[in-house]
Amino acid sequence: MTDLASDALDRLIADLGDIPVVTEEKVVRRRSRDFFWYSPILNAQLDGKSADLIVLPRDEQDVIRIASVCARHRMPITVRGGGTGNYGQAVPLEGGVLLDISGLESIEWIRPGAMRVGAGAKMHTIDAAAQAQGWELRMHPSTKRMATIGGFVAGGSGGIGSITYGGLREPGNILAARVVTVEEEPRIIELRGDAAQKVNRAYGTTGIITALEMPLAPAWKWIDVVVAFDDFMEAATFGYEAALADGIVKKVLSPITWPLPSYFGSLKPSCPEGKSVLMAMIAEPSLDSFKSLLGGRGTITLETPTDESPGRVPLYEYCWNHTTLQVLKSDRSVTYLQCLYPHDRVLEKVAEMRQLFPDEVLQHLEFIRFGGRVTCSSLPVIRYTNADRLNEIMRLHEERGVFIANPHVFTVEDGSRYKRADADQLGFKHEADPHGLLNPGKMRSFVSRR
Amino acid sequence: MTDLASDALDRLIADLGDIPVVTEEKVVRRRSRDFFWYSPILNAQLDGKSADLIVLPRDEQDVIRIASVCARHRMPITVRGGGTGNYGQAVPLEGGVLLDISGLESIEWIRPGAMRVGAGAKMHTIDAAAQAQGWELRMHPSTKRMATIGGFVAGGSGGIGSITYGGLREPGNILAARVVTVEEEPRIIELRGDAAQKVNRAYGTTGIITALEMPLAPAWKWIDVVVAFDDFMEAATFGYEAALADGIVKKVLSPITWPLPSYFGSLKPSCPEGKSVLMAMIAEPSLDSFKSLLGGRGTITLETPTDESPGRVPLYEYCWNHTTLQVLKSDRSVTYLQCLYPHDRVLEKVAEMRQLFPDEVLQHLEFIRFGGRVTCSSLPVIRYTNADRLNEIMRLHEERGVFIANPHVFTVEDGSRYKRADADQLGFKHEADPHGLLNPGKMRSFVSRR
């Protein structure tokens, strides 16, 4: 128990009626964490933060009741999906209720090009359901097998698939979100089209998402491919060409510098000593075109259908922030950054950063579309010394035109490129959470008017 | 009969055995034409050019026999598909055989993401066959209902669908081409991957294409949409935003300046007086996102599923070079250009050209992907005065960084941006057509070594 007197908690629980709760401290503390420990800075700041209890709604009616009870009790609510975030999105700063939405897992419908699901549905589950009907999610994080769709929308930005569809912020990548407001008399608000952006990457501060309508892509048979190159810049150059090749259907293109592949567990047989690699997911009918474009430039060391069955490790679990995780498994001294390269100078800037930090910043790019342009984000693994040096590395990137989305801060504002909350999100928070009870401290520009 | 002595022709026909031929002069002359008359310059140069006879192969064996016979007789062969080209691609400059490939219409197979068909297959037919299995052609010209796939590959460059997949030149957009060489002992060559580019936009000069393997896109239910704007630049600006929106699935985005829509026949009820329009094909599940992006900026005047059934005019028959055709139907004094805008200054350059030629060049853009970047090609309708002024208009575009693919010339070289034949194509022609019999005069840099 962190902040609350025991009797206040008892009164809250009583008002929740038959809604399941968990109060066992060890469990509550463990589930109050996410993967913020990738950052030594967040680890120092967030370690030990915990909710007072976990509440487990079984359906939207439960969510409404919880929202009402918490509004009356002025009790903080931090919503948690799979807990796979890296910025402490799901870590309660001020105790209170950890709202575990994993019970909201229904698939309401799947139609051509779209599906509507509960916010707590596992991405792996809904993707499999869509695939059974010839569709698939447009994009997912590397944590797809653990993450919920609500957590992805509230905490994420894009991932595997963003090379084709861009990020969640692009028009059309979230069709609708249904939210419950945190008020004495909660309201249900259906945010459609552009309005759905009010919950995107807001860390659950702008209403409790109960359902999401997501666009679907036609399902492809994906092939995991690894190509080994003598030199990282060759991998990056070919990756960029493949990223620009609109006739080649792909889902991921990740150039990764040696020695990062030396940490890649079961993938090591496909990662020759000393070689940088490009990891790719290519639609089977495009595989020959991909090889034709490659020509004689690299060596294909893996070519196998994507296999997500239990016990297998699909290639995407070495991409995006799983790259960092693979290294952290055996070397806890590293951390990472999130960079966005300018689309009109991609390779030039990658080479420049490489020269600037030859050993300290181990490059790992993710080609994406961003605002309709092909560019790359980058999640380099950093050999960490101290916070000052980390901040200096970020400053040196930004001074040279490489944008940073700082993953070593826990507020919506500080983690964004522009260091501010989206005006629509901030405005909407007054409507959806007038008392400022949702994930307090995460949207720091919000000041309740009540 | 244009060039050949009657007895030479008789000997040729005798050697062709039972392969059907047409010698009736009126028919031969009519089928020796294409839509070059959009250009007053080509019209003067090509009018009256004709083959001596039409030969109609029923299968590839017939093609091999024709190639062998023509090689022995040193008889020119000009291959013709639907005859929908605009540069005289299918017009024989030196008489001889017009090889009508429409008999090569078989669908060899349709697999997930790809199909293999005879070169003479109608695009409309194969697209319908693919759609029946959940797939569709990635791109097609506005003449889809008349054009053959072989003619599109040999003469075209891209079209409806290029906003997503780029043009035929992008890696992966032609999977393979099978060609018959024109030699005494013809060979069959299968060009796969990058090698297939040897027949792309070569006007049939680099071998007789008998079959093509084309990539397929997942089929969407398309919605034809017209949005009316007070000002053309508003239509162009919104079109560009939609083109950059990777979350919105689309097949065409064509801003068209007033007064061009006043010529649009059955579409006129959707084209308000004085308004410029954006014509779009949007996948049904993306329609709401498209409208959300539009906001209050224009007025949607048409929204209806694409209907290609007989007697209907799908929206794409007002796009690409059909825009020009719609005007030519009632005003034969106009012609057109083919421009490619620089991807990093699209709207700026469109505005500049508009200012330079306010009334003489009536703008009509087609957003496309080109080399992985969103830009627009443009097929403006030109109020034609004379050849000198037309050339000056082209020069003024090029001086200002707007590339021109001149549609008023009939050689492969002159019609290209770089005014030269692709080195691979030129080299391959020596192999596939050593005597220079295929569409002679169209690849003017070719000089036979025999």
Side-chain angles (χ1 to χ4, degrees):
Chain A
M1 205 133 321
T2 53
D3 295 291
L4 278 180
S6 170
D7 57 340
L9 199 57
D10 289 344
R11 285 195 302 273
L12 179 90
I13 291 170
D15 283 356
L16 290 173
D18 67 346
I19 300 175
V21 299
V22 175
T23 54
E24 195 193 336
E25 190 178 335
K26 203 171 129 192
V27 177
V28 176
R29 294 186 79 86
R30 195 179 64 235
R31 291 229 213 131
S32 294
R33 299 172 59 82
D34 62 17
F35 287 84
F36 63 78
W37 54 268
Y38 282 26
S39 162
I41 295 169
L42 290 181
N43 200 35
Q45 291 172 335
L46 298 178
D47 196 34
K49 298 281 181 196
S50 179
D52 294 289
L53 77 166
I54 303 169
V55 182
L56 296 136
R58 296 153 299 186
D59 54 27
E60 192 181 62
Q61 277 309 307
D62 281 357
V63 172
I64 292 168
R65 182 165 182 174
I66 296 163
S68 173
V69 168
C70 287
R72 281 191 278 116
H73 288 254
R74 296 294 192 267
M75 176 73 71
I77 305 174
T78 301
V79 182
R80 177 192 165 95
T84 57
N86 289 110
Y87 327 126
Q89 294 104 311
V91 177
L93 299 179
E94 302 180 10
V97 166
L98 189 74
L99 188 74
D100 181 332
I101 55 161
S102 56
L104 306 176
E105 61 184 346
S106 65
I107 296 177
E108 293 182 36
W109 49 255
I110 301 175
R111 294 178 192 154
M115 78 188 315
R116 190 175 172 102
V117 296
K122 288 268 189 296
M123 294 189 78
H124 184 64
T125 307
I126 60 177
D127 202 29
Q131 281 174 24
Q133 299 194 25
W135 299 93
E136 63 181 35
L137 292 168
R138 284 182 174 180
M139 66 193 75
H140 62 78
S142 62
T143 54
K144 174 187 157 192
R145 298 205 286 185
M146 301 167 65
T148 62
I149 187 70
F152 182 50
V153 166
S157 60
I160 290 100
S162 290
I163 180 57
T164 301
Y165 291 102
L168 286 167
R169 64 188 284 280
E170 302 290 342
N173 282 341
I174 306 172
L175 298 178
R178 184 173 164 102
V179 302
V180 170
T181 64
V182 179
E183 301 174 281
E184 290 77 353
E185 302 287 336
R187 289 165 298 138
I188 293 172
I189 301 177
E190 178 88 7
L191 302 165
R192 295 204 68 85
D194 193 42
Q197 291 296 325
K198 291 173 181 173
V199 299
N200 180 17
R201 202 192 156 277
Y203 299 179
T205 60
T206 57
I208 302 171
I209 309 169
T210 56
L212 285 159
E213 213 171 295
M214 300 299 284
L216 296 175
W220 289 100
K221 181 174 177 188
W222 294 106
I223 309 295
D224 289 348
V225 183
V226 176
V227 192
F229 293 86
D230 290 337
D231 177 69
F232 175 72
M233 285 309 297
E234 289 172 24
T237 301
F238 171 64
Y240 189 43
E241 283 174 36
L244 289 169
D246 288 313
I248 294 175
V249 179
K250 59 260 179 190
K251 200 159 181 174
V252 93
L253 287 170
S254 317
I256 301 177
T257 194
W258 182 262
L260 296 177
S262 69
Y263 296 91
F264 283 0
S266 63
L267 196 67
K268 277 170 79 171
S270 305
C271 300
E273 182 74 17
K275 305 284 185 189
S276 292
V277 297
L278 176 80
M279 301 202 298
M281 287 174 70
I282 305 293
E284 190 183 47
S286 286
L287 195 57
D288 284 346
S289 307
F290 178 80
K291 291 179 185 174
S292 187
L293 185 66
L294 177 63
R297 286 184 283 180
T299 305
I300 293 180
T301 57
L302 180 77
E303 180 186 325
T304 183
T306 301
D307 184 355
E308 301 176 288
S309 51
R312 309 295 300 182
V313 185
L315 193 65
Y316 66 71
E317 289 189 359
Y318 296 94
C319 298
W320 286 81
N321 222 1
H322 260 77
T323 308
T324 314
L325 178 61
Q326 300 292 352
V327 181
L328 281 167
K329 281 177 182 171
S330 56
D331 182 353
R332 291 293 283 255
S333 75
V334 304
T335 187
Y336 75 110
L337 276 186
Q338 295 177 151
C339 315
L340 177 68
Y341 280 82
H343 68 83
D344 51 353
R345 286 166 299 165
V346 174
L347 294 179
E348 175 191 330
K349 286 287 163 186
V350 169
E352 186 181 331
M353 291 304 113
R354 192 165 176 76
Q355 206 156 20
L356 201 59
F357 309 106
D359 301 312
E360 194 177 9
V361 177
L362 300 172
Q363 281 178 317
H364 154 214
L365 313 178
E366 294 289 348
F367 284 102
I368 57 169
R369 287 192 177 275
F370 188 92
R373 275 97 182 183
V374 170
T375 185
C376 65
S377 62
S378 161
L379 294 94
V381 174
I382 311 282
R383 297 199 199 276
Y384 183 69
T385 46
N386 57 56
D388 284 348
R389 176 59 183 163
L390 186 62
N391 286 322
E392 189 180 21
I393 292 171
M394 288 194 267
R395 185 176 54 74
L396 289 168
H397 276 78
E398 293 195 300
E399 280 176 8
R400 283 161 177 78
V402 180
F403 305 108
I404 296 285
N406 188 351
H408 303 284
V409 292
F410 57 72
T411 65
V412 167
E413 291 86 346
D414 296 326
S416 82
R417 268 172 62 195
Y418 301 107
K419 314 294 181 228
R420 61 172 186 260
D422 177 89
D424 277 0
Q425 290 189 346
L426 195 56
F428 183 64
K429 183 168 171 68
H430 284 285
E431 194 177 332
D433 181 29
H435 305 297
L437 296 172
L438 282 171
N439 212 349
K442 297 293 174 60
M443 187 179 277
R444 63 168 164 73
S445 10
F446 176 78
V447 181
S448 172
R449 293 176 190 142
R450 302 224 178 157
Chain B
M1 206 134 318
T2 53
D3 295 292
L4 278 182
S6 171
D7 57 340
L9 199 59
D10 289 344
R11 284 194 304 272
L12 180 91
I13 292 170
D15 283 356
L16 289 173
D18 68 344
I19 301 174
V21 300
V22 175
T23 54
E24 195 194 337
E25 190 179 335
K26 203 171 130 192
V27 177
V28 175
R29 294 187 77 87
R30 195 179 65 235
R31 290 228 215 132
S32 294
R33 297 172 60 83
D34 63 15
F35 286 84
F36 63 78
W37 55 268
Y38 283 27
S39 161
I41 295 168
L42 290 181
N43 199 35
Q45 291 172 335
L46 299 178
D47 197 34
K49 298 281 180 197
S50 178
D52 293 288
L53 79 166
I54 303 170
V55 182
L56 296 136
R58 296 153 298 186
D59 54 27
E60 193 183 63
Q61 278 309 308
D62 281 355
V63 172
I64 293 169
R65 180 163 182 176
I66 296 163
S68 173
V69 168
C70 286
R72 281 189 278 118
H73 288 255
R74 296 293 193 268
M75 176 73 72
I77 305 175
T78 300
V79 182
R80 177 192 166 94
T84 59
N86 289 111
Y87 327 127
Q89 294 104 309
V91 177
L93 299 180
E94 302 180 9
V97 166
L98 188 76
L99 188 75
D100 181 332
I101 55 162
S102 56
L104 306 176
E105 61 184 347
S106 66
I107 296 178
E108 292 182 36
W109 48 255
I110 301 176
R111 296 180 191 152
M115 79 189 314
R116 189 174 172 101
V117 296
K122 286 268 188 298
M123 294 189 76
H124 184 64
T125 307
I126 61 177
D127 201 29
Q131 282 174 25
Q133 299 194 23
W135 300 92
E136 63 182 34
L137 292 169
R138 284 183 172 178
M139 67 192 75
H140 62 78
S142 62
T143 52
K144 175 185 156 193
R145 299 205 286 184
M146 301 166 66
T148 62
I149 187 69
F152 183 48
V153 166
S157 60
I160 291 100
S162 291
I163 180 57
T164 300
Y165 292 101
L168 286 167
R169 64 188 284 281
E170 303 290 342
N173 282 341
I174 306 172
L175 299 178
R178 182 173 165 102
V179 302
V180 170
T181 64
V182 179
E183 301 174 280
E184 288 77 353
E185 302 286 337
R187 287 164 301 137
I188 292 171
I189 301 177
E190 179 87 8
L191 301 166
R192 293 204 69 85
D194 193 42
Q197 290 297 323
K198 291 173 181 174
V199 299
N200 179 18
R201 202 192 155 278
Y203 299 178
T205 60
T206 57
I208 302 171
I209 310 170
T210 56
L212 285 158
E213 213 171 295
M214 300 298 286
L216 297 174
W220 289 99
K221 181 175 177 187
W222 295 106
I223 309 295
D224 289 348
V225 183
V226 176
V227 192
F229 293 87
D230 290 338
D231 177 70
F232 175 73
M233 284 309 297
E234 289 172 24
T237 301
F238 171 64
Y240 189 43
E241 284 175 34
L244 288 169
D246 288 314
I248 294 175
V249 179
K250 59 260 177 189
K251 200 159 182 176
V252 94
L253 288 169
S254 317
I256 301 178
T257 193
W258 181 262
L260 296 178
S262 68
Y263 294 92
F264 282 1
S266 63
L267 196 68
K268 278 170 79 172
S270 304
C271 300
E273 182 74 18
K275 305 284 184 189
S276 292
V277 298
L278 176 80
M279 301 203 296
M281 286 173 70
I282 305 294
E284 190 183 47
S286 286
L287 195 58
D288 284 347
S289 307
F290 177 81
K291 291 178 185 174
S292 188
L293 183 67
L294 177 64
R297 287 184 282 180
T299 306
I300 293 179
T301 57
L302 179 77
E303 180 186 324
T304 185
T306 302
D307 185 354
E308 300 176 287
S309 50
R312 310 294 301 182
V313 185
L315 194 64
Y316 66 70
E317 291 189 359
Y318 296 94
C319 298
W320 287 81
N321 223 1
H322 260 77
T323 308
T324 314
L325 178 61
Q326 300 291 352
V327 181
L328 281 167
K329 281 177 182 172
S330 55
D331 182 352
R332 293 293 283 256
S333 74
V334 303
T335 187
Y336 75 111
L337 277 185
Q338 295 178 152
C339 316
L340 177 69
Y341 280 82
H343 68 84
D344 51 353
R345 287 166 298 164
V346 173
L347 294 179
E348 176 191 331
K349 285 289 164 186
V350 168
E352 186 181 331
M353 290 304 114
R354 194 166 175 75
Q355 207 157 20
L356 201 58
F357 309 105
D359 300 311
E360 195 177 8
V361 177
L362 300 172
Q363 280 179 316
H364 155 215
L365 313 178
E366 294 289 348
F367 285 102
I368 57 169
R369 287 192 178 276
F370 188 92
R373 275 95 181 184
V374 170
T375 186
C376 63
S377 62
S378 163
L379 295 93
V381 174
I382 311 283
R383 297 200 199 275
Y384 183 69
T385 45
N386 57 57
D388 284 347
R389 177 59 184 165
L390 186 64
N391 286 323
E392 189 181 20
I393 292 172
M394 288 194 266
R395 184 176 54 74
L396 290 168
H397 277 78
E398 292 194 300
E399 279 176 10
R400 283 160 177 79
V402 180
F403 305 107
I404 297 284
N406 188 352
H408 303 284
V409 291
F410 56 73
T411 66
V412 168
E413 291 87 346
D414 295 327
S416 82
R417 267 171 64 195
Y418 301 107
K419 313 293 180 227
R420 62 170 186 259
D422 177 88
D424 278 0
Q425 289 188 347
L426 194 55
F428 184 63
K429 184 169 170 67
H430 284 285
E431 194 177 334
D433 180 29
H435 304 299
L437 297 172
L438 282 171
N439 213 348
K442 297 294 174 61
M443 188 179 276
R444 63 168 165 72
S445 9
F446 176 79
V447 180
S448 173
R449 293 177 191 143
R450 303 226 179 155

